[in-house]
Amino acid sequence: MLAYLAFTAAAAAADVAGALLVVTAHRRGRAPLRYFVAAGAGFMLAAAFVRMLPESAHVPHAFLFVLIGYFGVHLFEHTVAPHFHFGEEVHPEALLAPSAGYLALLGLGVHTLFDGVAIAAGFMIGPALGALISIAVFLHKVPEGFTIASVMLAGGGSRRAAVGAGAVLGALTIVGAVATSFVAEQHVGVALALSAGVTIYVAASDLIPEVNREGGPALAWTVFGGLVLFALADWLLAPLGGH
Ligand SMILES: [Zn+2]
Ligand SMILES: [Zn+2]
């Protein structure tokens, strides 16, 4: 079943699209991205709590792996990288050390690796779960590529470096998915538990804070829009089976 590769490739392309948006589009053209961040947060949390956690709960120490996934992202995005947050990089002073931009790329790279792990693990359990996780990943991919490209530009990098960083994230997503396809069937639950922890961190600790910081009731309501979208997608995908 190679469907996971098609969905992963689309997600990787969205990373590049997000990066291209930074180097090409007019500033005002970027505003709608905030709504993808908000809807993505709602959708991802619903997917993690309603589908990913229950599907991996039978694995021994499942919730330990969830915790490792959660804090693994915190470790790489916020301690190894000296300055990282989702959304446009508006603090060039925090990126004065040339290494800061590349450490942010490393931090976000670990998270994107697990975007691929999540999609592949989902499809190994069933097409409905795989498609649901793919939507969860896809919703935050364009803002993700946007984020890393703006980090590179703020750190003094060229436009080519900015788009290249988006391409690196896309490539890591594909690597994560392909590597997971080699995981033995009985260990897929571990991969899913780890990526559930990653998904919860990205949604609740990276995306929601951005929604709250940017403010505005319309943006805050969009998080619930993500929940509604999840319920709809879950219902429409159910006939495919797999959860
Ligand atoms: Zn910043
Ligand atoms: Zn991601």
Side-chain angles (χ1 to χ4, degrees):
M1 171 94 157
L2 290 176
Y4 83 93
L5 267 184
F7 282 93
T8 310
D15 269 329
V16 179
L20 283 172
L21 210 57
V22 176
V23 300
T24 56
H26 187 267
R27 282 186 72 90
R28 288 177 61 184
R30 303 167 184 174
L33 274 188
R34 302 190 306 157
Y35 292 91
F36 280 93
V37 168
F43 196 109
M44 289 166 81
L45 282 173
F49 284 114
V50 178
R51 294 298 175 203
M52 296 171 81
L53 291 182
E55 286 289 352
S56 53
H58 66 280
V59 174
H61 312 297
F63 289 93
L64 182 61
F65 290 113
V66 175
L67 196 68
I68 291 170
Y70 184 93
F71 283 110
V73 181
H74 183 72
L75 175 69
F76 282 97
E77 281 188 358
H78 299 284
T79 62
V80 173
H83 179 82
F84 177 79
H85 52 82
F86 245 79
E88 182 157 26
E89 187 49 75
V90 288
H91 317 104
E93 70 282 1
L95 294 163
L96 284 180
S99 61
Y102 289 99
L103 288 172
L105 178 61
L106 171 69
L108 194 51
V110 170
H111 142 191
T112 53
L113 193 73
F114 278 92
D115 285 340
V117 171
I119 292 175
F123 273 106
M124 285 165 84
I125 289 167
L129 185 63
L132 267 182
I133 294 175
S134 297
I135 300 169
V137 169
F138 199 79
L139 280 172
H140 80 277
K141 271 297 190 191
V142 175
E144 184 179 284
F146 180 95
T147 297
I148 200 61
S150 82
V151 165
M152 299 313 273
L153 289 184
S158 65
R159 287 168 166 225
R160 183 189 292 248
V163 177
V168 167
L169 294 187
L172 285 170
T173 307
I174 294 171
V175 167
V178 172
T180 304
S181 69
F182 289 105
V183 169
E185 200 108 351
Q186 69 266 32
H187 298 311
V188 172
V190 173
L192 194 66
L194 280 170
S195 43
V198 170
T199 303
I200 293 168
Y201 190 90
V202 172
S205 304
D206 276 336
L207 302 185
I208 292 272
E210 283 307 296
V211 171
N212 295 345
R213 192 178 58 81
E214 299 245 357
L219 192 63
W221 277 109
T222 307
V223 175
F224 293 108
L227 293 182
V228 173
L229 196 63
F230 170 82
L232 190 66
D234 193 53
W235 177 66
L236 287 172
L237 289 166
L240 290 179
H243 66 59

